[in-house]
Amino acid sequence: MMKKLFALFFAGFVASSVFAQEAPDALIQQVTEDVLDIIRKDKDIQSGNTNKAIELVDKKVLPHFNFQHMTALALGKDWRKATPQQQQLLIAEFKTLLVRTYSNALTSYKNQKVVYKPFKMNSGETDVLVRTEVLQPGSKPVQLDYSLEKLDSGWKVYDVVVAGISLVTNYRDQFGQEIRNGGVDGLIASLANKNKSMEANLAKVEKK
Amino acid sequence: MMVLGASGMRKFYRLLAAGVVGLAFSGVVMAEGNPRDPYEGFNRAMYSVNEAVDKFAAKPVAQVYDKAFPLPVKAGVGNFFGNVGDLWIGVNGALQGKFGDAGIDLGRLLVNSTVGIFGLFDVASELGLEKHDEDSGQTLAVWGVGDGAYLFWPIIGPRTMRDTAGWMIDSYVDPVWRVRPISVRNSLVALRFVDIRASLLPADKVVEEAALDKYAYVRDAYLQRRRNQIFDGRPPRLDD
């Protein structure tokens, strides 16, 4: 009897944790809290160690992002102009740019709190918006929303929207301009240059 | 702008209005440019001017302020000016037909001005009276006024034509500009400016690192953010 009860309890526990993994709002909450926990304890990240923040983002955040979708969204109609090889290069460079930029943003963390907005989802939905808010004393709350899509590998984020600004589609005009000026290869080169110069900056800062 | 008196402010508005009208008639449309940004040449020039002013004046002061004061002091400053703005936020909410929100804004003003000691503490938020984000530009938008061309102004920064008009209305009724004596008013205006600039320091770093073209990044972010504010954080999805 005891054994059966225990098994039932255990099964329930496993089922609920699987369920938690599957719900997109629970996923966002879990990843956010994991990351905030680590930053709160990590004096290096708080004092501006970007490399350490990148490591954290690589490990905790990236597995839940779909960079192919993000890159396609950033290019809009121009995405189809790129060959599959060009697309792979674009994804790689765009990923580096986004990860470095926003890892760096994490280093400005100062006691902000994240509030999770009520989330409702119809069964069978495969594209949802999870809404959160970042609270900081003395400032207006900042809206922070995530668009997620359901893939075979689980829910993946394909857009992050800060105060109404999509960090992905905000690139569309700039990318379009680069492509008009130098074609898809021109855009790839610009992104690569940008990433190289940021890498160089970072190396300079770390040396100091 | 901080050192202009009331007549100076009026002159500044007139100049600004003349600028808007002048731009509207000059009709310099760039061939391959963004249709929402027909005066890109002018705007980019103003953007560079602003960058220079920011680099040598506004930003260094904001950085000193940010380092010199502990978080509770800065929060108090932000809360104080936030409280001053809540009445006008409520008026704009009401003008857009959001009477419930306007009531909350009024409640916030009452609670924070008293229990919150002249607005230094945002007690109302702790009580669940949520702060709203409204201004005259948003009200005009809800009434059906379109964006108009995107403009980049020295010192005040990006505004669409509609939001430039909204900004003029907002500044005209701004209680901080009416404080007397003038010396106190100037200090308050300066403090608010520095506090806002300081709160944008982390965003600076992001733009610096994220953008291929900072001008375009700021423009597109501004336009997206305004659209989001007009729809109170739930803009209809655009088709990709």
Side-chain angles (χ1 to χ4, degrees):
Chain A
M1 179 60 199
M2 207 44 211
K3 221 179 186 177
K4 241 186 205 165
L5 206 65
F6 189 74
L8 202 69
F9 176 76
F10 191 67
F13 179 76
V14 170
S16 72
S17 73
V18 166
F19 180 72
Q21 265 176 5
E22 279 187 341
D25 57 330
L27 174 73
I28 293 294
Q29 182 161 357
Q30 176 220 315
V31 173
T32 306
E33 292 304 324
D34 274 5
V35 168
L36 288 183
D37 257 3
I38 294 172
I39 298 175
R40 278 182 197 123
K41 286 178 200 143
D42 195 316
K43 291 275 172 291
D44 290 344
I45 293 179
Q46 284 175 32
S47 59
N49 186 333
T50 306
N51 278 331
K52 221 167 160 189
I54 291 177
E55 236 171 73
L56 170 65
V57 169
D58 261 333
K59 204 167 101 203
K60 292 281 178 186
V61 182
L62 292 198
H64 306 291
F65 275 60
N66 179 358
F67 279 99
Q68 166 151 5
H69 192 166
M70 291 175 109
T71 314
L73 199 58
L75 266 84
K77 287 192 204 89
D78 288 330
W79 179 244
R80 269 167 281 150
K81 286 186 197 160
T83 65
Q85 290 93 325
Q86 285 175 324
Q87 289 183 349
Q88 288 314 310
L89 289 170
L90 284 168
I91 294 170
E93 295 293 351
F94 191 44
K95 179 174 169 180
T96 307
L97 179 64
L98 284 183
V99 168
R100 175 132 339 125
T101 309
Y102 300 107
S103 303
N104 219 337
L106 284 184
T107 62
S108 347
Y109 174 83
K110 277 189 203 93
N111 291 318
Q112 286 92 340
K113 252 188 274 170
V114 177
V115 173
Y116 305 90
K117 299 262 167 177
F119 177 77
K120 250 194 287 179
M121 188 177 92
N122 300 323
S123 64
E125 254 186 298
T126 55
D127 190 335
V128 298
L129 186 70
V130 174
R131 304 164 60 89
T132 75
E133 218 171 54
V134 182
L135 305 182
Q136 41 193 346
S139 309
K140 286 182 208 160
V142 179
Q143 193 185 335
L144 179 54
D145 300 338
Y146 303 85
S147 293
L148 294 99
E149 61 186 332
K150 194 176 187 173
L151 302 180
D152 294 336
S153 48
W155 286 95
K156 301 287 168 192
V157 175
Y158 69 88
D159 196 2
V160 180
V161 184
V162 185
I165 305 161
S166 155
L167 301 183
V168 174
T169 60
N170 209 49
Y171 280 101
R172 197 169 284 173
D173 276 0
Q174 293 168 75
F175 285 5
Q177 195 62 48
E178 294 286 342
I179 289 174
R180 273 197 298 282
N181 291 341
V184 175
D185 285 328
L187 173 61
I188 295 170
S190 295
L191 282 170
N193 273 337
K194 174 86 196 170
N195 286 332
K196 261 190 217 123
S197 74
M198 276 171 63
E199 184 105 41
N201 272 343
L202 199 60
K204 241 190 286 170
V205 173
E206 303 281 293
K207 253 192 205 155
K208 267 190 207 164
Chain B
M1 195 183 88
M2 275 179 255
V3 288
L4 298 179
S7 75
M9 262 317 264
R10 266 199 294 280
K11 251 181 234 158
F12 182 68
Y13 288 144
R14 226 175 292 149
L15 214 68
L16 210 60
V20 175
V21 174
L23 281 171
F25 288 106
S26 67
V28 244
V29 179
M30 290 178 53
E32 274 264 44
N34 186 319
R36 304 184 67 183
D37 188 8
Y39 310 113
E40 190 171 336
F42 167 84
N43 287 342
R44 278 190 189 269
M46 288 306 113
Y47 181 79
S48 321
V49 171
N50 231 26
E51 285 261 273
V53 173
D54 187 60
K55 188 175 168 196
F56 293 109
K59 192 171 177 176
V61 175
Q63 280 169 328
V64 169
Y65 170 85
D66 192 46
K67 286 241 160 60
F69 295 102
L71 194 61
V73 174
K74 286 182 281 183
V77 171
N79 287 336
F80 176 79
F81 289 113
N83 186 49
V84 170
D86 268 342
L87 181 63
W88 187 238
I89 288 174
V91 171
N92 274 294
L95 289 173
Q96 295 169 37
K98 291 177 268 193
F99 299 105
D101 286 5
I104 291 175
D105 297 325
L106 197 62
R108 286 181 53 84
L109 181 70
L110 293 176
V111 170
N112 283 342
S113 303
T114 53
V115 187
I117 314 173
F118 304 117
L120 291 176
F121 299 92
D122 185 1
V123 185
S125 286
E126 310 275 329
L127 295 176
L129 296 173
E130 196 187 341
K131 187 165 176 69
H132 298 112
D133 182 6
E134 304 291 356
D135 55 61
S136 301
Q138 293 181 54
T139 302
L140 291 172
V142 169
W143 289 355
V145 181
D147 287 326
Y150 173 80
L151 297 166
F152 200 99
W153 298 107
I155 301 173
I156 69 167
R159 293 282 188 287
T160 61
M161 286 241 195
R162 182 203 56 228
D163 291 337
T164 304
W167 177 82
M168 288 188 201
I169 300 169
D170 292 338
S171 317
Y172 186 73
V173 301
D174 184 355
V176 175
W177 275 103
R178 299 189 176 249
V179 170
R180 293 293 178 273
I182 299 287
S183 58
V184 175
R185 179 204 67 187
N186 288 351
S187 311
L188 285 174
V189 169
L191 176 61
R192 180 170 61 180
F193 182 82
V194 171
D195 179 62
I196 293 173
R197 185 62 192 85
S199 71
L200 292 173
L201 289 171
D204 263 18
K205 207 163 87 173
V206 172
V207 175
E208 193 73 46
E209 286 167 354
L212 292 182
D213 171 1
K214 272 166 72 178
Y215 169 81
Y217 195 91
V218 168
R219 176 193 62 203
D220 296 340
Y222 172 80
L223 293 172
Q224 280 201 62
R225 185 175 138 264
R226 286 303 284 174
R227 187 166 177 274
N228 185 62
Q229 286 174 317
I230 290 162
F231 288 101
D232 293 326
R234 294 177 176 274
R237 213 168 176 162
L238 293 171
D239 277 330
D240 304 306

